[in-house]
Amino acid sequence: MTGIAIFGAASAIAQDVARLYAAEGATCFLVGRNGARLDTIASDLKARGAAAATTAVADLTDTTQHAALVAQAKAALGTVDRVLVAYGTLGDQRAGEADTTVMVRELTVNFVSAASLLNLLAEAMIPQKAGKIAVIGSVAGDRGRQSNYIYGSAKAGLGAFALGLRHRLAKDGISVTLVKPGFVDTPMTADIPKGGPLWATPAQVAGDIRAAMERGAAVLYTPWFWRWIMLIIRSVPDVVFRRTRL
Amino acid sequence: MQSFHPRQDYLAWGRVHRFTHHVARPAFADELPGVLAARGTMSLLGSGARRSYGDSGLNADNALIDMRGLDHVIAFDAATGVLDAEAGVILADILHLLARPANGAGTWFLPVTPGTKFVSLGGAIASDVHGKNHHGAGCIGNHLLSFRLLRSDGATVTCSPDENADLFKATIGGLGLTGLIVSVRVALKRVPGPWLEHEEFRYGDLNSFYRLAEESLADWEYTVAWIDCLASGAELGRGIFARSRHADASTAKPAVAAVAPRIALPVDLPSFALNSATVKAYNNWRWRSRSDEPVRHIVPFEPAFYPLDAIGQWNRLYGSRGFFQYQFVVPSPHDKDAIRAVLTEISRAGMGSFLAVLKTFGDRPSPGMMSFPMPGTTLALDFPNTGARTHALLDRLDDIVIGAGGRIYAAKDGRMSAKAFQQGYPMWQSFARQVDPHFSSSFWRRVTEGAG
Ligand SMILES: Cc1cc2nc3c(=O)[nH]c(=O)nc-3n(C[C@H](O)[C@H](O)[C@H](O)COP(=O)(O)OP(=O)(O)OC[C@H]3O[C@@H](n4cnc5c(N)ncnc54)[C@H](O)[C@@H]3O)c2cc1C
Ligand SMILES: NC(=O)c1ccc[n+]([C@@H]2O[C@H](COP(=O)([O-])OP(=O)(O)OC[C@H]3O[C@@H](n4cnc5c(N)ncnc54)[C@H](OP(=O)(O)O)[C@@H]3O)[C@@H](O)[C@H]2O)c1
């Protein structure tokens, strides 16, 4: 029986990933900020087939709690077979430019705290000599753009960290998959006008994440076409890029 | 923080009405009070999976609360078959859950299901949906233990047959107008297994249909007929009769619910793709391809109950102008004459329907005061939207239906007149007293027009 620990378990994408594992009878350990919501999710996962689902309430920017959370995950799951690091915030770029404290908080949520957590998870998983980790980055990390480079740089940092960790853990039989979603229709993007073929549903993205994590893939662009969109965006020469409003 | 965002892409299944909506998309029930508070001067309406065809689920230039994010199962008791779930849970997810070995794989089934599994629980209640087993099971409203309703004043009301019974009756079939259905407790049905014993055969005329429907009442839980609505004269009403019942095929392995459509139409087809010639050819072929003798098969429930779900977005077959679905019921004992009159009118207009579904309703009353079914016969037809010509035909059909004491199904309607509605649903004024003062819909404004 698979044990999966999910950090940011109330995220729309994370809930759909959890449902896929629940349907196979997994045991789930759910971390998020809102206890009542986590309880709703735990009941849902149990009804959908999870062998068990336990919850822990934490603001993950508080890195001093991370060691205890990892220990709790291990206690709840026995072995930590799967990990999904899903939490994040799409902060307001202009607010970050105007106020460095806001900017640092954005970097802390999306990068520093996740790095702290992953480091401790790795320590806990190495003795198992098995396990699969997925970390949700973003296509926004592929190239710094004026409209969201604070978020983007944090996701880029997280991406380099995840791939470095993957390199390190290869010899221990543990895979790390970096997930780069494009536009996903979730509460995070509620304020952005939607419609058109670029928008994916959380369920679509969740299916891709599960498959890539099980395969042990290094990098997942989801939906797949973002690999090619980002290839183009990365290769636009600076002289041209400077003039765009991307 | 939840608020409303303008969207142009909230269409009903028929794709005829193109409105701007201010849409909120709560992900958890605790966000609902904040959503209600943010409405400003707009009227509110809950939105489900948007499988209603017309404007009963639309609220032009006002607020829609998209309930699909509230799709958490609260509890399922595999011993009693009681499911407690948020209103945004879709039937396909429930079927998936029931197929799990831990839940007795094939022990429990939906007590009533419409012809698509992609509807939400909230939407199913608001239209008080019926299925092919109406003659025995009634509507979904007959199987509800209770639900929680959130009113615009912020009060959450638990409604059941003996608690807040007035709101219970008004909300079932109440088209979303009495408030937001937040969660639902429904009693599922025990079945012998995930398989169906299914028979299909063709028959030659309307009298034969009625004979078959009558004959099948006792032993067949599910009955329906597809008719060739371009057949006329002696062949009027000819079609394919299908009937099924849950089977105990203990040797067969359980069917796994296929949730995702196998193929999907990514774009609108050009609007000439479904014209009277293609419809005629299709209906002819379909009728000729079936045998006169009952052919019995043991089948999984998916293809028998949800044949259309195999093609995602099949509504795009009708092109970008969309289509109307027209479903009505006429009461017995004069139902046969009215059906004959409707079919004659359609055949004369030469505006055949690609899908025409005929079924007799039973006499089990639903608790829903605005519930559509009545003992008699129901016919559902699709018509591509060709503008004035389609409207004129449907108005003529309204006259026949209303004249026969029948009514038109609001879940499928996007055009009936206020008069046709008010005559078909004479209880509408007592229903109106239960409508939440801050809830409304495009449909409701249209059919209560001039009623002050
Ligand atoms: C292929 C197909 C086959 C069908 N077959 C049948 C059939 O056999 N029998 C039948 O009866 N119907 C049938 N229907 C119609 C369908 O079952 C109804 O229109 C149903 O109401 C759709 O539910 P929905 O979740 O899509 O809701 P929507 O279409 O989004 O909304 C329907 C109504 O429910 C209200 N609503 C939705 N959620 C809530 C909520 N949480 N709280 C309060 N109000 C809410 C809306 O305001 C609206 O009035 C069929 C539809 C299709 C597309
Ligand atoms: N949606 C997109 O278009 C998109 C695109 C690329 C990448 N992503 C990434 O995908 C991941 C999932 O996002 P989503 O789209 O599913 O959005 P979401 O539903 O808004 O989920 C984000 C989750 O992160 C949690 N979170 C934020 N800060 C936290 C903190 N300090 N401690 C603990 N939890 C915290 C939130 O918890 P609360 O509920 O308590 O706020 C929320 O559950 C994120 O990493 C996001 O950056 C999303």
Side-chain angles (χ1 to χ4, degrees), chain B residues 14-18 271-272 274 315 317-325 351-352 382-392 394 414-415:
Chain B
R15 302 169 65 83
V16 170
H17 306 86
R18 309 267 161 166
S271 46
F272 56 79
L274 281 187
N315 50 344
L317 277 169
Y318 286 96
S320 59
R321 295 183 72 183
F323 68 108
F324 291 104
Q325 165 130 152
M351 288 169 70
D382 287 351
F383 295 100
N385 175 21
T386 56
R389 217 174 129 230
T390 316
H391 282 278
L394 297 183
R415 34 70 47 197

Side-chain angles (χ1 to χ4, degrees), chain B residues 419-435:
Chain B
K419 193 165 148 255
F421 170 77
Q422 293 173 13
Q423 291 181 350
Y425 295 83
M427 66 305 245
W428 75 276
Q429 274 164 318
S430 44
F431 167 72
R433 285 195 283 280
Q434 302 290 336
V435 169

Side-chain angles (χ1 to χ4, degrees), chain B residues 60-91:
Chain B
D61 302 318
N62 282 277
L64 275 187
I65 303 175
D66 183 341
M67 297 292 280
R68 287 174 307 165
L70 269 68
D71 66 345
H72 302 101
V73 179
I74 298 165
F76 175 64
D77 184 338
T80 60
V82 173
L83 175 78
D84 189 353
E86 289 181 338
V89 168
I90 60 167
L91 302 187

Side-chain angles (χ1 to χ4, degrees), chain B residues 255-338:
Chain B
V256 178
V259 171
R262 286 187 286 279
I263 52 173
L265 275 186
V267 292
D268 295 333
L269 283 196
S271 46
F272 56 79
L274 281 187
N275 55 32
S276 52
T278 50
V279 168
K280 192 164 188 148
Y282 170 80
N283 276 309
N284 246 317
W285 165 78
R286 191 165 172 167
W287 196 77
R288 292 192 189 290
S289 67
R290 294 308 194 283
S291 139
D292 294 319
E293 293 303 315
V295 182
R296 191 172 294 187
H297 294 292
I298 299 290
V299 297
F301 65 82
E302 295 269 341
F305 285 171
Y306 311 115
L308 290 169
D309 286 348
I311 309 167
Q313 305 280 309
W314 62 262
N315 50 344
R316 295 187 144 186
L317 277 169
Y318 286 96
S320 59
R321 295 183 72 183
F323 68 108
F324 291 104
Q325 165 130 152
Y326 187 75
Q327 182 174 358
F328 66 87
V329 57
V330 278
S332 46
H334 302 297
D335 41 349
K336 200 195 285 182
D337 301 334

Side-chain angles (χ1 to χ4, degrees), chain A residues 75-233:
Chain A
L77 303 177
T79 55
V80 184
D81 305 305
R82 302 286 181 276
V83 170
L84 176 65
V85 176
Y87 69 101
T89 52
L90 182 59
D92 179 338
Q93 167 74 23
R94 303 296 166 231
E97 290 166 14
D99 182 345
T100 309
T101 323
V102 172
M103 183 186 82
V104 171
R105 186 166 3 109
E106 181 77 357
L107 297 175
T108 308
V109 185
N110 290 310
F111 176 42
V112 178
S113 72
S116 153
L117 194 58
L118 284 164
N119 198 40
L120 292 163
L121 282 163
E123 288 310 319
M125 290 171 75
I126 286 170
Q128 300 173 181
K129 298 289 172 203
K132 295 176 193 294
I133 300 172
V135 181
I136 308 189
S138 170
V139 294
D142 276 17
R143 184 168 192 173
R145 291 174 292 119
Q146 60 87 25
S147 58
N148 76 345
Y149 66 86
I150 300 176
Y151 172 78
S153 65
K155 290 294 194 186
L158 182 61
F161 189 95
L163 293 180
L165 188 64
R166 172 185 176 86
H167 197 183
R168 172 183 159 206
L169 297 182
K171 62 176 189 325
D172 299 304
I174 298 169
S175 65
V176 180
T177 299
L178 171 63
V179 179
K180 299 187 190 186
F183 299 147
V184 195
D185 192 356
T186 72
M188 180 175 277
T189 52
D191 297 340
I192 303 172
K194 297 213 170 67
L198 290 184
W199 285 91
T201 64
Q204 268 173 301
V205 167
D208 286 355
I209 292 177
R210 186 182 164 283
M213 170 149 55
E214 291 307 313
R215 254 193 345 263
V219 177
L220 167 73
Y221 283 89
T222 170
W224 59 272
F225 49 77
W226 283 96
R227 176 180 297 277
W228 309 108
I229 295 177
M230 294 322 292
L231 180 67
I232 294 165
I233 289 187

Side-chain angles (χ1 to χ4, degrees), chain A residues 10 15 19 22-25 34 37 40-41 43-44 47-50 185 187 190-191 194-195, chain B residues 2-3 5 7 9 25 27-28 30-31 71-76 86 89 93 96-97 100 103:
Chain A
Q15 284 190 66
R19 285 177 180 178
E24 292 170 359
N34 182 322
R37 290 184 181 182
T40 299
I41 296 164
S43 306
D44 177 63
R48 290 175 193 259
D185 192 356
D191 297 340
K194 297 213 170 67
Chain B
Q2 269 292 333
S3 53
H5 298 283
R7 306 260 306 230
D9 57 338
R25 305 199 35 204
F28 292 93
D30 62 50
E31 295 167 53
D71 66 345
H72 302 101
V73 179
I74 298 165
F76 175 64
E86 289 181 338
V89 168
D93 275 3
H96 210 66
L97 187 140
R100 291 182 34 70
N103 292 329

